[in-house]
């Protein structure tokens, strides 16, 4: 099939490259000429594991290209996938990029009898595709739905694992407002043999939000329980969660032994969730519910717990060590999760700013995200030293904070950390494995 993907961010570029890898002819549209030029020579402008190799492969096969010309790309396309950003603005979803994109597509449709299925892949609140998108298309094209198709195909991609998640999807949601678009979506995803959910566009939109809201809720309830464990004393929240994980509804027992589903990684105490999806999606869903007269008590609580959780780190350190002014502190991990350069809503931003307010002497390390982190915190970056070798900084540091679950930080247990304080904000290392430092973490009372 001939596909146009509008937007070349994490979702758009990964989707376009993966669809091309499965045999479709894909054009990716972006307004930025420098990004288009990079993509056409095989250099992605975002970090995603496996993306450079796959991009080069689909370019070599002539199944993928990038352009700034939206109209030229869609005049030969059967489906236009909208994958532009939908950021949060004061807790509400900002649909301006979607609106602009749809108006441009509608302007093209006004000039041609070509039938195009416009399919939203961006995360949008329930009721967006069949109202705002449809109305904008009808207004700018002068046509009614039927003269064009309309669908919604949400993504379920984890940054750092996006290529695998797309190529080995666990489910594909085919949201549609007309049968022709459903037929096209069926053809688009024919190479995938996973479960496919055929629903209207509102349901497709809600599936995406419900998925993220439930995962975010799990993280916040575990963190609230971890804080309670620390307050009670004599209880380690990680031991508690190990016991919970063994419930056969979480970890089924089969003839081959007990399974350990990936969902259990959301049931580990830590310093909160971040990234481009969970915070903004939960906020947007809460705001929509409140606009409809619902109190949204649960989602309010999820966000409140998460907003406060990064503050636990400096609070615990100050209770243990006293004032942090001048204390040499090394922060390991700046992205919101391992294997990505994305720092959006990262807990590390709040942790570092808290340390600076406490006048600590701060150095930071991340294998991928240091430049993005500098941009995110602005002028505050001038007060931080960024290191290219975290192991070399161990001798300098009095305090080491593990802020992401990057596996290489497990090496701390074999380094000379005696007399230092290690705060494991992600419960990554096992202190019983020989860590000679004073070990602190979420979910345990201070000694």
């Amino acid at each position: 099939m001939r596909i146009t993907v509008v937007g070349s961010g994490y979702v758009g570029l990964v989707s376009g490259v993966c669809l091309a890898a499965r045999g479709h002819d894909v054009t990716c549209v972006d307004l930025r000429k420098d990004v288009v030029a990079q993509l056409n020579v095989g250099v992605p402008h975002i970090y995603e594991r496996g993306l450079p190799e796959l991009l080069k492969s689909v370019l070599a096969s002539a199944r993928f290209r990038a352009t700034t010309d939206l109209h030229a790309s869609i005049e030969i396309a059967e489906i236009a996938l909208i994958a532009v950003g939908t950021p949060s603005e004061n807790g509400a979803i900002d649909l301006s990029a979607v609106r602009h994109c749809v108006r441009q597509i509608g302007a093209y449709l006004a000039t041609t009898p070509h039938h195009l299925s416009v399919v939203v892949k961006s995360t949008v609140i329930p009721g967006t595709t069949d109202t705002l998108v449809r109305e904008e298309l009808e207004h700018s094209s002068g046509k009614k739905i039927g003269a064009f198709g309309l669908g919604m195909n949400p993504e379920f991609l984890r940054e750092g694992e996006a290529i695998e998640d797309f190529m080995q999807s666990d489910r594909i949601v085919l949201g549609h407002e007309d049968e022709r678009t459903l037929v096209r979506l069926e053809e688009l995803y024919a190479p995938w043999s996973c479960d496919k959910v055929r629903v209207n566009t509102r349901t497709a939109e809600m599936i995406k939000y419900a998925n993220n809201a439930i995962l975010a809720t799990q993280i916040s309830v575990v963190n609230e329980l971890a804080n309670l464990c620390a307050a009670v004393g004599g209880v380690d929240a990680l031991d508690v969660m190990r016991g919970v994980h063994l419930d056969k509804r979480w970890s089924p027992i089969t003839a081959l032994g007990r399974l350990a589903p990936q969902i259990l990684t959301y049931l580990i105490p830590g310093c909160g969730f971040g990234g481009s999806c969970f915070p903004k999606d939960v906020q947007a869903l809460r705001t929509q519910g409140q606009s409809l007269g619902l109190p949204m008590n649960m989602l309010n609580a999820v966000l409140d717990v998460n907003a406060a959780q990064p503050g636990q780190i400096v609070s615990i350190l100050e209770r243990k060590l006293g004032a942090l002014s001048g204390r040499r502190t090394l922060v390991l991990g700046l992205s919101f999760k391992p294997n990505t350069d994305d720092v959006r809503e990262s807990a590390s931003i709040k942790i570092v700013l808290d340390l600076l307010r406490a006048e600590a002497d701060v150095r930071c390390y991340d294998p991928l995200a240091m430049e993005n982190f500098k941009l995110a915190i602005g002028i505050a970056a001038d007060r931080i030293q960024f290191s290219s070798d975290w192991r070399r900084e161990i001798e300098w540091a009095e305090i080491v904070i593990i802020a992401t679950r990057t596996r290489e930080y497990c090496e701390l247990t074999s380094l000379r950390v005696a007399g230092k304080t290690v705060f494991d904000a992600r419960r990554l290392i096992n202190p019983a494995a020989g860590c000679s430092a004073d070990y602190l973490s979420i979910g345990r009372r201070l000694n």
Side-chain angles (χ1 to χ4, degrees):
M1 295 185 75
R2 296 182 300 276
I3 310 299
T4 290
V5 180
V6 188
S8 65
Y10 285 94
V11 173
L13 184 55
V14 168
S15 298
V17 169
C18 290
L19 287 168
R22 286 292 174 94
H24 296 296
D25 185 88
V26 178
T27 301
C28 201
V29 180
D30 199 285
L31 296 174
R32 297 164 291 180
K33 292 181 179 179
D34 57 331
V35 168
V36 167
Q38 279 183 248
L39 293 177
N40 282 327
V41 294
V43 180
H45 59 290
I46 58 172
Y47 177 82
E48 186 60 49
R49 188 168 56 185
L51 182 57
E53 297 82 2
L54 199 57
L55 175 60
K56 287 183 172 65
S57 172
V58 295
L59 283 168
S61 68
R63 290 196 300 269
F64 180 91
R65 69 209 57 85
T67 183
T68 59
D69 191 337
L70 173 62
H71 285 188
S73 71
I74 59 178
E75 68 181 1
I76 60 169
E78 296 159 86
I79 294 177
L81 285 176
I82 298 176
V84 297
T86 53
S88 178
E89 185 70 30
N90 297 320
I93 190 170
D94 179 358
L95 293 169
S96 57
V98 172
R99 191 185 298 271
H100 176 72
C101 173
V102 170
R103 285 175 177 172
Q104 287 189 300
I105 294 174
Y108 161 76
L109 292 175
T111 68
T112 177
H114 175 54
H115 188 282
L116 179 73
S117 287
V118 180
V119 177
V120 178
K121 200 160 189 68
S122 303
T123 300
V124 295
I125 56 174
T128 298
T129 302
D130 68 341
T131 57
L132 181 147
V133 173
R134 178 183 58 79
E135 290 164 4
E136 291 287 357
L137 282 171
E138 291 183 342
H139 177 75
S140 54
S141 70
K143 300 177 180 180
K144 295 294 184 181
I145 187 170
F148 58 84
L150 196 59
M152 202 283 156
N153 173 222
E155 51 84 17
F156 301 97
L157 306 178
R158 299 166 298 163
E159 288 185 36
E161 311 292 337
I163 299 293
E164 179 182 349
D165 285 347
F166 200 105
M167 298 300 279
Q168 301 176 36
S169 299
D170 50 11
R171 68 302 181 33
I172 296 172
V173 177
L174 309 179
H176 59 285
E177 291 298 317
D178 60 285
E179 286 303 311
R180 191 167 180 180
T181 295
L182 176 58
V183 169
R184 283 173 168 164
L185 287 171
E186 297 275 13
E187 183 180 352
L188 180 66
Y189 289 109
W192 280 262
S193 59
C194 62
D195 289 328
K196 293 168 185 172
V197 184
R198 299 158 184 86
V199 291
N200 63 26
T201 58
R202 289 193 177 201
T203 305
E205 291 159 344
M206 184 63 85
I207 288 170
K208 168 66 176 181
Y209 274 97
N211 196 87
N212 283 355
I214 290 169
L215 292 174
T217 300
Q218 291 178 193
I219 294 170
S220 281
V221 73
V222 168
N223 284 334
E224 185 159 273
L225 290 170
N227 297 339
L228 178 59
C229 289
V232 168
V235 180
D236 186 333
L238 199 57
D239 292 337
V240 172
M241 294 319 300
R242 287 193 188 107
V244 171
H245 291 182
L246 293 175
D247 186 316
K248 62 186 176 184
R249 289 166 293 189
W250 288 113
S251 304
I253 302 171
T254 72
L256 299 176
R258 187 182 289 273
L259 303 181
Q262 289 186 1
I263 193 71
L264 298 182
T265 63
Y266 292 85
L267 299 177
I268 296 174
C271 51
F273 58 78
S276 61
C277 293
F278 284 5
K280 79 175 182 67
D281 290 355
V282 177
Q283 290 169 12
L285 199 59
R286 174 188 64 179
T287 299
Q288 184 183 34
Q290 291 173 337
S291 73
L292 295 171
L294 301 175
M296 306 306 288
N297 296 327
M298 182 69 76
L299 295 189
N300 274 316
V302 169
L303 291 167
D304 288 347
V305 170
N306 195 63
Q309 198 65 14
Q312 291 282 329
I313 284 74
V314 166
S315 176
I316 292 171
L317 284 170
E318 287 179 331
R319 292 203 304 273
K320 177 71 174 180
L321 304 175
L324 299 181
S325 179
R327 302 298 291 265
R328 299 187 302 278
T329 306
L330 175 63
V331 178
L332 299 179
L334 302 175
S335 57
F336 80 96
K337 62 178 289 188
N339 301 318
T340 181
D341 61 354
D342 195 346
V343 301
R344 285 175 286 182
E345 300 287 343
S346 172
S348 297
I349 293 175
K350 298 173 185 176
I351 292 168
V352 168
L353 292 178
D354 282 350
L355 289 168
L356 293 178
R357 279 190 287 269
E359 300 184 337
D361 184 359
V362 180
R363 295 186 183 181
C364 294
Y365 169 83
D366 189 283
L368 299 168
M370 287 194 288
E371 293 305 315
N372 285 344
F373 190 83
K374 292 174 187 178
L375 293 173
I377 65 171
I379 194 171
D382 295 339
R383 298 171 58 193
I384 300 167
Q385 183 172 326
F386 293 86
S387 175
S388 60
D389 184 352
W390 69 270
R391 297 166 186 84
R392 189 178 61 199
E393 304 294 346
I394 295 298
E395 184 176 351
W396 167 85
E398 300 172 74
I399 302 167
V400 180
I401 300 172
I402 301 175
T404 65
R405 288 184 61 84
T406 303
R407 299 303 305 175
E408 65 182 282
Y409 304 147
C410 290
E411 292 180 33
L412 273 171
T413 58
S414 62
L415 299 178
R416 297 178 62 182
V417 291
K420 303 179 186 296
T421 298
V422 170
F423 196 122
D424 185 0
R426 295 293 184 182
R427 302 305 298 262
L428 177 66
I429 63 177
N430 179 5
C435 183
S436 57
D438 185 10
Y439 179 83
L440 302 177
S441 64
I442 299 291
R444 298 163 72 246
R445 177 182 279 185
L446 300 177
N447 295 330

